[in-house]
């Protein structure tokens, strides 16, 4: 079944603060500790249940970003790591994309408080397609047109900023098979670490 923007309309209602500025990164086949290690994160922080517990930690510094990572199942039964950043953008930076996608696949999307964003799909260090969800027609990467059909199915081209970011969630699902749900974000056990800002 193809995911669409409508499948993610719950995100702002369920997580209004996170929806204002976030980064979600999916990496195939890595464990949460492996993701944090590839990011060079300090991992002596606590584990939390649900992202609601992240705001209580308040561990961000001027040079580091708090990243919480859990395990999510792909549509083919494969395991993916799901990294969540509140107010961050580490997962879409060039350094993180290269490090995290080495030998595997990465799909990440981000939105900042100003409403801009970034969607990135990479395979083994190669950025296949990347764009701002607000401007999906301006894509870059080695195969920027390859996800066009999946982008249209997800809902890109619809009017309204919010729906474009819903479409980013749907496109990530269509490329990975991982459906991010409110239950995953509310009840999963997350490994936490502080990653240096690029």
């Amino acid at each position: 079944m193809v995911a669409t923007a409508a499948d993610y309309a719950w995100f702002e209602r369920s997580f209004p603060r996170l929806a204002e500025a976030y980064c979600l990164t999916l990496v195939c086949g890595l464990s949460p500790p492996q993701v944090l290690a590839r990011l060079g994160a300090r991992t002596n922080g606590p584990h939390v249940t649900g992202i609601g517990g992240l705001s209580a930690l308040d561990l961000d510094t001027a040079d580091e970003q708090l990243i919480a990572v859990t395990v999510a199942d792909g549509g083919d039964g494969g395991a993916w790591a799901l990294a969540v950043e509140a107010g961050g953008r580490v997962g879409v930076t060039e350094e993180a994309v290269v490090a995290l996608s080495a030998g595997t696949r990465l799909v990440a999307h981000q939105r900042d408080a100003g409403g801009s964003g970034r969607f990135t799909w990479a395979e083994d260090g190669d950025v296949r397609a990347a764009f701002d969800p607000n401007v999906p027609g301006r894509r870059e990467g080695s195969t920027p047109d390859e996800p066009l059909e999946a982008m249209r199915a997800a809902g890109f081209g619809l009017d309204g900023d919010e729906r474009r970011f819903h479409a980013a969630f749907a496109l990530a699902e269509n490329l990975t098979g991982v459906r991010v749900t409110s239950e995953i974000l509310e009840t999963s056990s997350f490994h936490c670490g502080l990653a240096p800002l690029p």
Side-chain angles (χ1 to χ4, degrees), residues 4-175:
T4 68
D7 295 323
Y8 288 93
W10 55 266
F11 185 58
E12 282 81 12
R13 291 191 307 269
S14 299
F15 304 97
R17 287 188 63 198
L18 181 63
E20 291 175 5
Y22 71 87
C23 184
L24 297 182
T25 305
L26 290 158
V27 188
C28 185
L30 296 187
S31 69
Q34 288 173 320
V35 168
L36 292 169
R38 287 192 182 195
L39 291 174
R42 292 191 294 124
T43 58
N44 55 351
H47 289 42
V48 297
T49 299
I51 61 166
L54 298 180
S55 58
L57 297 179
D58 194 26
L59 297 175
D60 291 351
T61 70
D63 302 319
E64 296 173 308
Q65 171 68 43
L66 176 63
I67 299 180
V69 191
T70 192
V71 176
D73 292 327
D76 61 358
W80 290 71
L82 168 64
V84 179
E85 302 171 56
R89 62 180 315 273
V90 171
V92 294
T93 62
E94 182 179 354
E95 296 89 341
V97 168
V98 170
L100 291 174
S101 69
T104 189
R105 169 184 280 193
L106 169 144
V107 174
H109 55 102
Q110 172 264 343
R111 178 182 182 170
D112 64 32
S116 295
R118 182 92 173 151
F119 187 101
T120 302
W121 162 36
E123 304 261 356
D124 196 16
D126 174 39
V127 175
R128 305 287 296 276
F131 59 93
D132 181 337
N134 293 306
V135 194
R138 294 185 194 161
R139 294 175 308 283
E140 55 194 50
S142 63
T143 58
D145 293 337
E146 188 172 346
L148 273 178
E149 184 177 330
M151 289 174 69
R152 288 190 189 103
F156 281 102
L158 298 173
D159 292 331
D161 175 62
E162 297 302 326
R163 296 179 75 181
R164 287 185 178 144
F165 283 94
H166 296 165
F169 275 86
L171 178 57
E173 179 179 342
N174 292 338
L175 292 174

